[in-house]
Amino acid sequence: METTKTTVPVLELCGIDMHYGYVQALDSIDFHVNPGEVVGLLGDNGAGKSTLLKIMSGAHRPTGGKVQVHGRKVELDSPSQATAAGIQMVYQDLALVDALDIATNLNIGREILRKGIFGLLGFVDHKAQRKRSEAELDKLGVRTAAMTRPVEMLSGGQRQVVALARSATRVAGDHNGVLLLDEPTAALGYEQTQQVQALIRRMADQGIAIVLVTHNLQLATAVCDRIAVLNRGRKVADIATEDTDNDALVGWITGARPSMFE
């Protein structure tokens, strides 16, 4: 007798509604992402992508529906609760501290203190932080500038890589979490976009689940395993990337193509 292997989604949203007064921003959205999967979240401006992303990251609480992480229902009332559940958001502004070096940015919030009395006084062990950062970046296959270089001296692509790597190190582990990426290549050139694209795939290969919000169809079709499309607060498509094309995606985004679920 054959048994079917099932994968429990890392993150699953069931019947999500979101109201702002009389305006319904999201209408019964079902969405999930599996371990090691990259799911693109596409839609025109006002489609509901940002609202759904804010619900996943704990910035907004939905009006209705439920959120599950690794099969367990969770209440994401704040970004800190989402972080505790293994969900990391990488914003368009990257949230890096320009004046600090790469290693310090990678270790913000999880600093290594020096041993003894200096640690009790809050002195940071910068050498240990640099060593840990180098090991973590090597695991991700990331090559950046020296760990001591200030972020303000990095290129746009290097800054994006540092921001992605910082979040990836926080969700990697025995129970890999979720990375939420909001337009990660919006301000990058072709070569820098290729670098970020390769990093996204490497992170997915290590078991990290990734949700990618982007207007770049070329990036979505190149890096995503599956694509979900929102239109006016409703999910109109959820399909394997290999089973669709740009014309179909544009049709769902603009509303010219009927929903898959009607």
Side-chain angles (χ1 to χ4, degrees):
M1 180 177 178
E2 292 186 1
T3 57
T4 302
K5 183 178 179 181
T6 59
T7 300
V8 177
V10 181
L11 175 65
E12 184 173 15
L13 283 67
C14 306
I16 295 295
D17 292 325
M18 189 69 193
H19 293 265
Y20 296 104
Y22 293 105
V23 177
Q24 185 167 15
L26 296 175
D27 184 3
S28 192
I29 300 292
D30 293 328
F31 181 88
H32 72 279
V33 56
N34 295 316
E37 184 180 35
V38 183
V39 179
L41 186 58
L42 307 184
D44 206 351
N45 293 331
K49 306 184 305 298
S50 296
T51 301
L52 192 61
L53 209 61
K54 289 174 181 176
I55 289 172
M56 296 181 201
S57 66
H60 285 180
R61 181 168 183 153
T63 308
K66 66 178 181 179
V67 179
Q68 296 187 150
V69 176
H70 293 294
R72 295 185 178 183
K73 185 179 178 180
V74 296
E75 300 291 341
L76 303 180
D77 295 326
S78 66
S80 60
Q81 289 186 345
T83 298
I87 302 171
Q88 284 281 322
M89 175 81 174
V90 181
Y91 296 94
Q92 287 191 50
D93 64 5
L94 305 183
L96 297 174
V97 183
D98 289 347
L100 300 180
D101 61 29
I102 294 174
T104 303
N105 270 276
L106 289 173
N107 286 280
I108 288 177
R110 55 182 194 130
E111 291 82 1
I112 300 176
L113 299 181
R114 295 174 63 178
K115 296 179 181 179
I117 186 65
F118 292 106
L120 295 175
L121 294 173
F123 284 83
V124 174
D125 189 336
H126 293 286
K127 183 177 180 180
Q129 287 193 163
R130 288 194 294 270
K131 186 175 181 180
R132 179 171 69 179
S133 297
E134 289 171 350
E136 291 173 341
L137 293 183
D138 285 343
K139 185 177 179 181
L140 290 171
V142 173
R143 293 292 179 268
T144 62
M147 291 293 102
T148 55
R149 178 168 296 182
V151 165
E152 61 190 356
M153 296 179 63
L154 301 180
S155 68
Q158 289 174 319
R159 290 165 61 88
Q160 185 70 65
V161 166
V162 171
L164 290 175
R166 182 180 63 185
S167 294
T169 57
R170 287 160 167 75
V171 299
D174 294 335
H175 298 286
N176 280 325
V178 185
L179 275 185
L180 309 176
L181 309 182
D182 186 11
E183 298 287 358
T185 63
L188 303 183
Y190 176 77
E191 291 186 4
Q192 295 174 329
T193 297
Q194 294 298 306
Q195 182 183 15
V196 171
Q197 178 179 312
L199 176 57
I200 291 172
R201 283 311 324 174
R202 285 198 298 272
M203 292 188 296
D205 290 341
Q206 294 185 15
I208 297 172
I210 299 173
V211 178
L212 172 65
V213 172
T214 182
H215 283 92
N216 187 334
L217 285 183
Q218 184 177 357
L219 172 67
T221 54
V223 78
C224 295
D225 301 297
R226 183 163 49 87
I227 293 176
V229 182
L230 300 185
N231 186 291
R232 297 183 181 180
R234 295 183 177 182
K235 188 172 76 168
V236 296
D238 194 337
I239 189 170
T241 305
E242 63 185 3
D243 295 333
T244 189
D245 55 32
N246 282 0
D247 289 341
L249 293 174
V250 170
W252 281 314
I253 290 170
T254 60
R257 189 180 183 91
S259 169
M260 292 178 62
F261 309 110
E262 291 181 353

